[in-house]
Amino acid sequence: MKFDKVTIVGFAVCVLLLLAWEPICRHLGWISPPRPRTAVTAPAGKPAAAATATDMAGEPASSGEKSPTPAPAPQPEFLKLAPVVLKNSASTVVVDPNDGIVREIRLNNFLNNDRKTPVTFRCYPAQHILSFRDGATWRTVKVAVVGNDDSALTVDRVVRRGDREVAITQNWKLEENFQLHYTFTLKNSDRRPLPLERVALETGALSPLIHQTGESVRNEVFNVDYFSTKLVSVAVKPGEKAFNQPLTLPVRWLGVSNKYFACLLKPAGKTGTFVGIEPLLQQHTDATGKDFITASAAGLLPNTTLAPGGQATFSYS
């Protein structure tokens, strides 16, 4: 096939126009310039990371830099255990093994004002609070139930203050005559002597009768009672100066009482003898927003020092 000069020139112009078409269109603004592609290379000595599922789904790929590791959520110091229920024909007791205290007492054969549910003492504060009032902060770091049947419970706890620890074994035994026998043992597993000062044990409190039986009583009276050389009763009322002030004197037993009920703490034999008492008055707010006061009593134990590997046992009824 032969081409004349005009055909050859026209063909050459078409080829040039085809090659220059994209630059001309960009110059005239008909198309956008392509985005520059950046090559990502792995750091020397490290293989390139494989694409993640997110990358393959069209999301921006990771830059390869490690994001700051989030701080771990705070973990409890020990695994919390469920409350333990002790029961016989006369009464039911709910024990919180984590704090080693009695949370609730029910009299199975006595009904409250609704004639359906048993009279219930929800302890404000709890009963058998074992406290170290030496000004330091003791924290529970270990709890285990080591013995339990229908009417008895034994709990091992470890409390810590700084680098010192005390192992506590607590035992509750529920009797048919509404008595709850309580024994605790303090153990020193350290190689150093362990001084224990201002250790106290609380009776638990009686709250206004409406919180126990559902019945409101006008001019209700309840007391903190203790026996040293004679019986002493301190009426529970706001502003009473005898409350929240420790007294140093030998105490044979102590407790709180109202017209119908009493909660007493008595050393069994010579173990657990009290060398003082502190009547305690506290204010609370119920579920309806009403304020009420409760009273309890703390028996003060003699200061002692546990030898390395030594222990001391205290019993009450």
Side-chain angles (χ1 to χ4, degrees):
M1 180 181 295
K2 294 183 179 180
F3 300 98
D4 55 21
K5 293 182 179 180
V6 175
T7 302
I8 294 173
V9 171
F11 181 76
V13 170
C14 290
V15 172
L16 291 174
L17 183 62
L18 180 64
L19 294 175
W21 180 252
E22 183 175 351
I24 292 172
C25 289
R26 287 200 303 269
H27 178 73
L28 296 176
W30 294 349
I31 63 174
S32 300
R35 292 182 180 179
R37 307 183 100 184
T38 303
V40 179
T41 57
K46 294 184 179 180
T52 64
T54 304
D55 296 333
M56 292 185 289
E59 296 293 333
S62 170
S63 66
E65 296 181 358
K66 292 184 178 180
S67 59
T69 303
Q75 298 295 321
E77 291 185 323
F78 61 95
L79 181 63
K80 295 283 187 178
L81 302 180
V84 178
V85 177
L86 307 180
K87 185 176 181 179
N88 58 25
S89 61
S91 55
T92 300
V93 173
V94 180
V95 179
D96 179 354
N98 304 296
D99 295 321
I101 51 180
V102 174
R103 288 288 186 191
E104 186 175 289
I105 300 173
R106 296 192 290 269
L107 307 182
N108 298 336
N109 302 317
F110 294 86
L111 300 182
N112 66 18
N113 202 39
D114 64 7
R115 306 301 181 191
K116 295 179 181 179
T117 55
V119 171
T120 300
F121 301 92
R122 294 177 178 86
C123 302
Y124 305 98
Q127 188 179 25
H128 294 161
I129 295 178
L130 178 64
S131 59
F132 299 87
R133 302 186 177 194
D134 54 3
T137 301
W138 291 85
R139 299 176 294 112
T140 301
V141 296
K142 183 178 180 181
V143 176
V145 173
V146 295
N148 180 212
D149 58 30
D150 291 342
S151 61
L153 171 68
T154 302
V155 173
D156 279 349
R157 299 169 55 233
V158 175
V159 297
R160 179 181 298 159
R161 179 200 66 190
D163 64 343
R164 307 307 302 270
E165 289 186 348
V166 179
I168 307 173
T169 298
Q170 297 171 281
N171 176 265
W172 293 266
K173 175 65 176 176
L174 184 60
E175 301 291 346
E176 290 290 343
N177 57 359
F178 303 105
Q179 283 192 332
L180 182 62
H181 293 294
Y182 175 62
T183 300
F184 68 90
T185 300
L186 305 178
K187 307 173 187 176
N188 177 20
S189 57
D190 204 331
R191 295 181 179 179
R192 297 168 291 173
L194 178 62
L196 294 176
E197 300 178 353
R198 295 182 55 77
V199 179
L201 182 64
E202 293 185 30
T203 61
L206 286 181
S207 57
L209 206 59
I210 192 171
H211 295 281
Q212 302 158 11
T213 67
E215 182 179 0
S216 180
V217 177
R218 182 177 297 180
N219 298 325
E220 181 179 2
V221 176
F222 49 108
N223 305 302
V224 168
D225 309 304
Y226 63 92
F227 192 96
S228 178
T229 57
K230 63 179 181 179
L231 176 63
V232 178
S233 292
V234 182
V236 177
K237 55 184 178 181
E240 171 58 57
K241 295 182 179 179
F243 283 91
N244 303 323
Q245 298 292 333
L247 301 173
T248 302
L249 74 172
V251 176
R252 294 172 60 180
W253 60 262
L254 51 88
V256 288
S257 64
N258 61 17
K259 183 177 178 181
Y260 303 102
F261 305 106
C263 180
L264 306 178
L265 190 59
K266 179 184 177 182
K270 294 183 179 181
T271 63
T273 301
F274 298 119
V275 296
I277 180 175
E278 184 175 356
L280 302 171
L281 189 67
Q282 295 186 0
Q283 183 166 322
H284 309 268
T285 302
D286 64 17
T288 66
K290 293 182 179 180
D291 294 334
F292 65 96
I293 59 174
T294 63
S296 62
L300 308 179
L301 295 170
N303 295 341
T304 186
T305 297
L306 298 180
Q311 63 182 42
T313 298
F314 308 85
S315 297
Y316 303 89
S317 60

